[in-house]
Amino acid sequence: MSRFFMVRHGETEWNRIHRIQGSSDIPLNDTGRAQALKVGGVLSRHRFDLIVASPLSRALETATIIARRLQMPLPLPLPALVERHYGEAEGATRADLDARFPGDTPVPGREERDAVQKRVTRALGDLAIRHPHADIIVVTHGGVIRSVVDYAAPGQYNEPIRNCSVHSFAHSSQGVNLIQFDDPMEVIARTLASEDFVEQNPSEARDRAS
């Protein structure tokens, strides 16, 4: 059995002002870098075998800060861990979204939730095959983590996925199972940010409200 400790990246300026990021490559701000350093300290209480990350800079820099804090090799970037593509909604605020795509208007180019879930769970399965019985840090995005939570524990958790929060999973012959949403190892990290992924992402907030 392999275990995955999925970490959401630190804060960016688009997080702060509630713009939809998706696959747009928005870097960490200073708050995000401080969050990454602190969660690295939390994770340093444990031993990990590998650290991987989305190739988007906000996730890869978060992972790099954590790896240095844990004195691990630099993170391996995995394209399958990239955030959900929001198509023409990327860069939009809630007001922009409501003006351009009111109600249930389809957003051109937006990736389907099922597609996100399939590519991410497949990537975790591949990692588990290549690294059996390993404890692996996976630094990625709110939408990616939410897709795995919904796959492993459908309908059970609607709590916030905050910047630099940690969520643990196990992979066995039965597939991906949730160990702990907001893993207790990151109790300190829960105080690092006051806002969650859905609050920061107007598209996700509107979808969850519908």
Side-chain angles (χ1 to χ4, degrees), residues 85-130:
H85 304 286
Y86 287 92
E88 293 185 17
E90 295 199 6
T93 63
R94 180 60 183 263
D96 297 334
L97 192 68
D98 290 343
R100 293 172 59 194
F101 309 105
D104 295 329
T105 304
V107 177
R110 185 168 64 177
E111 187 178 10
E112 294 295 328
R113 291 179 184 275
D114 287 350
V116 179
Q117 193 174 83
K118 287 177 182 176
R119 66 172 163 85
V120 175
T121 55
R122 185 181 298 119
L124 295 181
D126 290 345
L127 280 170
I129 291 168
R130 294 201 303 271

Side-chain angles (χ1 to χ4, degrees), residues 114-203:
D114 287 350
V116 179
Q117 193 174 83
K118 287 177 182 176
R119 66 172 163 85
V120 175
T121 55
R122 185 181 298 119
L124 295 181
D126 290 345
L127 280 170
I129 291 168
R130 294 201 303 271
H131 304 278
H133 312 297
D135 279 359
I136 302 171
I137 299 172
V138 179
V139 183
T140 183
H141 307 270
V144 169
I145 296 172
R146 178 61 67 188
S147 75
V148 181
V149 170
D150 288 347
Y151 173 84
Q156 293 186 37
Y157 293 92
N158 290 312
E159 291 88 342
I161 295 178
R162 304 180 191 277
N163 292 111
C164 282
S165 59
V166 181
H167 310 269
S168 54
F169 302 83
H171 189 283
S172 66
S173 58
Q174 284 74 45
V176 179
N177 299 292
L178 180 67
I179 299 173
Q180 182 69 56
F181 186 95
D182 269 344
D183 195 292
M185 73 165 58
E186 60 83 48
V187 168
I188 295 173
R190 293 184 202 180
T191 67
L192 299 182
S194 60
E195 292 185 298
D196 65 90
F197 164 64
V198 172
E199 288 177 336
Q200 292 170 344
N201 186 313
S203 180

Side-chain angles (χ1 to χ4, degrees), residues 40-55:
V42 174
L43 292 168
S44 70
R45 304 168 188 171
H46 302 266
R47 179 189 174 281
F48 297 95
D49 301 290
L50 181 69
I51 181 166
V52 300
S54 158

Side-chain angles (χ1 to χ4, degrees), residues 49-69 71-78 81 127 136-140:
D49 301 290
L50 181 69
I51 181 166
V52 300
S54 158
L56 294 179
S57 62
R58 59 190 182 271
L60 194 56
E61 184 178 3
T62 299
T64 299
I65 292 169
I66 292 170
R68 287 173 176 159
R69 178 66 178 80
Q71 298 184 329
M72 293 178 66
L74 290 178
L76 174 69
L78 294 180
L81 299 176
L127 280 170
I136 302 171
I137 299 172
V138 179
V139 183
T140 183

